[in-house]
C-alpha cells in the first residue's frame, strides 16, 4: 500500500494477536483479516498452532470456509489437499504426491499467556514477546472490538499522559522515573488518582501503573491500586486488519490473594475489572475514529513522553522515509 506524506504506514513490523488460545482448541480453526490478508489459524491434535494464508495454492479455495482440521493438518474443502503448520502440503485426496509448488504462506507464531501471536515483517522475527509468570493469576478474560484506527495511535495512549485527565477523569497524574527503552521495548511508570470504580464512583483511589510495550501490537500494563487486595494485569492488543481498521483486544487477569475465594476472584473481580477497563478504552473510540494523524505535533508540557515514543516507533517502519513515521 502506497504511503503519502502525513500518513502512517498501515502495517508496522511486530507481533500481533490473531486470537486467544481458547478460541482455537485442538481440532478447530478460525479465519481472520490480518495485515491486509485473510489468514486461517488452526490447532492440530499435537497442540501446535499454525497461521497460514487462507487461500489454497492449488485452486484458490478459502480454507477458512468449509475447511477442517485432520490430525495435525488443515484440509482444504475444495480438493482435500492437506497442509501442516509450516504451510507444506503433506497430502492430496487422490493419494498422489503433492505438487512441489503447493505451499501456502505461513506466519511465524508464538503462544504466550493465552495469546496466539503472529509475526508481521521480515521473514525472521527481530524481537520476542516475553512469557509472563501467571502461576498465581486467574485465566485472562478477553474482549475484542473492531474500529477504524492504527496500532501506533492506540498504543500511543500508553504514554499520552495529558489525555488521562481530559478524557478519563484521572487526576494527579505523575510519572515515576524516566521512560525506559531497550530496542523494541518501551516502559514507563506513573501514578494517578480517580473515582473508585469498585465503589460506583464514590470516593477516590490512587493507582500505580507500570506499562510494558513490546512493539506496537503488544502492551502489558501492571495495575496496582494502593490497597491490599487487588492487583491486575491488562493486555492491550491492537491487530491491523485491512489498512483501515484494527481488532483491539483487551484482556484482564487478577492476582489470586490468600484468603480470597477463587470463585470470587475468577467470576466477580475479574469480570468487573474487564468491564471497567473496557469502559475506559471505549471512551477513546470516538477520538480514534475521527482524529487525523499529525506527524509533527505541537507538544506541550504535560503531554507526557510523546516525542520519545514517536522516535521509538520509527524502528517498526524500516522501509519508510523517516518523515512519514516521525
Amino acid at each position: 500500500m502506497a504511503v503519502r506524506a502525513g500518513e502512517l504506514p498501515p502495517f508496522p513490523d511486530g507481533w500481533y494477536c490473531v486470537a486467544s488460545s481458547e478460541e482455537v482448541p485442538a481440532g478447530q480453526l478460525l479465519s481472520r483479516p490480518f495485515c491486509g490478508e485473510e489468514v486461517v489459524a488452526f490447532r492440530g491434535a499435537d497442540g501446535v498452532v499454525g497461521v497460514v494464508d487462507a487461500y489454497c495454492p492449488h485452486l484458490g479455495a478459502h480454507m477458512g470456509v468449509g475447511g477442517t482440521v485432520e490430525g495435525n493438518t488443515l484440509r482444504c474443502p475444495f480438493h482435500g489437499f492437506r497442509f501442516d503448520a509450516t504451510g507444506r502440503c503433506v497430502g492430496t485426496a487422490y493419494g498422489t504426491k503433492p505438487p512441489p509448488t503447493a505451499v501456502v504462506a505461513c506466519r511465524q507464531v508464538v503462544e504466550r499467556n493465552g495469546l496466539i501471536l503472529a509475526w508481521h515483517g521480515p521473514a525472521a522475527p527481530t524481537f520476542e514477546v516475553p512469557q509472563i509468570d501467571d502461576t498465581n493469576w486467574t485465566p485472562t478474560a478477553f474482549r475484542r472490538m473492531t474500529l477504524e484506527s492504527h496500532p501506533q495511535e492506540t498504543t500511543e495512549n500508553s504514554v499520552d499522559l495529558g489525555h488521562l485527565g481530559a478524557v478519563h477523569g484521572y487526576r494527579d497524574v505523575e510519572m515515576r522515573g524516566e521512560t525506559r527503552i531497550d530496542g523494541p521495548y518501551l516502559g514507563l511508570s506513573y501514578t494517578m488518582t480517580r473515582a473508585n470504580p469498585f465503589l460506583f464512583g464514590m470516593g477516590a483511589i490512587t493507582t500505580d501503573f507500570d506499562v510494558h510495550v513490546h512493539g506496537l501490537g503488544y502492551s502489558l500494563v501492571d495495575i496496582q491500586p494502593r490497597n491490599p487486595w487487588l492487583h491486575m494485569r491488562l493486555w492491550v492488543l491492537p491487530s491491523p486488519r485491512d489498512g483501515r481498521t484494527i481488532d483491539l483486544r483487551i484482556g484482564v487477569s487478577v492476582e489470586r490473594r490468600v484468603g480470597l475465594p477463587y470463585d470470587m476472584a475468577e467470576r466477580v473481580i475479574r469480570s468487573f475489572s474487564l468491564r471497567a477497563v473496557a469502559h475506559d478504552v471505549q471512551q477513546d473510540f470516538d477520538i480514534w475514529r475521527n482524529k487525523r494523524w499529525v506527524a509533527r505535533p505541537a507538544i506541550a508540557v504535560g503531554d507526557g513522553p510523546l516525542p520519545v515514543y514517536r522516535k521509538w516507533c520509527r524502528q517498526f517502519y524500516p522501509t519508510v522515509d523517516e518523515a512519514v513515521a516521525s
Side-chain angles (χ1 to χ4, degrees):
M1 179 177 294
V3 179
R4 298 189 301 270
E7 288 186 345
L8 279 171
F11 309 125
D13 292 354
W15 291 100
Y16 297 102
C17 183
V18 175
S20 66
S21 296
E22 65 181 13
E23 288 182 283
V24 192
Q28 299 296 314
L29 60 84
L30 59 77
S31 59
R32 291 272 162 80
F34 182 80
C35 292
E37 300 175 356
E38 288 282 325
V39 298
V40 174
F42 70 98
R43 191 187 300 273
D46 60 1
V48 175
V49 175
V51 175
V52 301
D53 185 86
Y55 297 98
C56 181
H58 176 220
L59 283 172
H62 193 302
M63 295 187 288
V65 182
T68 55
V69 178
E70 293 187 357
N72 299 323
T73 66
L74 173 64
R75 184 182 188 275
C76 176
F78 199 10
H79 296 88
F81 282 35
R82 293 180 292 109
F83 300 88
D84 65 16
T86 69
R88 184 173 61 96
C89 183
V90 296
T92 71
Y94 321 132
T96 57
K97 183 178 180 180
T101 56
V103 178
V104 64
C106 68
R107 300 276 179 168
Q108 296 276 350
V109 177
V110 296
E111 205 162 357
R112 299 281 190 272
N113 297 103
L115 304 172
I116 298 171
L117 302 163
W119 172 257
H120 176 77
T126 56
F127 64 94
E128 297 296 329
V129 172
Q131 173 73 32
I132 308 299
D133 183 8
D134 54 10
T135 304
N136 294 316
W137 293 75
T138 66
T140 306
F142 291 100
R143 182 173 297 184
R144 178 167 63 97
M145 300 161 280
T146 300
L147 72 152
E148 293 186 19
S149 192
H150 186 284
Q152 182 168 329
E153 293 273 41
T154 56
T155 302
E156 186 167 275
N157 270 33
S158 298
V159 301
D160 182 1
L161 303 188
H163 94 287
L164 296 178
V167 176
H168 302 295
Y170 300 175
R171 55 185 174 83
D172 302 325
V173 180
E174 290 186 13
M175 284 195 61
R176 305 189 335 267
E178 298 295 321
T179 306
R180 307 176 297 277
I181 289 180
D182 183 8
Y185 168 80
L186 180 147
L188 74 156
S189 301
Y190 62 90
T191 298
M192 64 81 186
T193 300
R194 65 168 297 179
N196 191 337
F198 296 95
L199 296 176
F200 304 99
M202 295 183 293
I205 183 169
T206 299
T207 304
D208 295 328
F209 291 76
D210 292 296
V211 181
H212 306 279
V213 186
H214 298 268
L216 297 179
Y218 179 101
S219 297
L220 173 62
V221 186
D222 187 271
I223 302 174
Q224 178 70 78
R226 293 184 178 177
N227 63 58
W229 57 270
L230 181 62
H231 185 193
M232 183 169 63
R233 286 172 175 166
L234 166 66
W235 277 265
V236 183
L237 308 158
S239 179
R241 290 166 57 90
D242 52 15
R244 184 176 58 87
T245 60
I246 63 172
D247 283 331
L248 182 63
R249 293 174 179 83
I250 55 173
V252 168
S253 177
V254 178
E255 186 178 15
R256 294 171 180 153
R257 297 293 194 178
V258 175
L260 186 65
Y262 172 80
D263 283 350
M264 181 181 292
E266 173 75 12
R267 299 177 183 176
V268 179
I269 297 176
R270 187 191 67 170
S271 177
F272 186 85
S273 298
L274 180 60
R275 287 199 299 272
V277 168
H279 172 266
D280 280 5
V281 171
Q282 288 169 329
Q283 288 179 311
D284 293 301
F285 273 27
D286 282 344
I287 294 174
W288 284 331
R289 288 189 183 111
N290 295 286
K291 75 188 297 289
R292 181 174 64 181
W293 168 250
V294 178
R296 291 183 170 84
I299 297 296
V301 174
D303 280 332
L306 287 176
V308 175
Y309 171 80
R310 293 284 184 96
K311 183 177 180 180
W312 172 80
C313 286
R314 294 175 190 166
Q315 65 187 293
F316 306 112
Y317 308 96
T319 62
V320 176
D321 185 88
E322 183 176 297
V324 174
S326 60

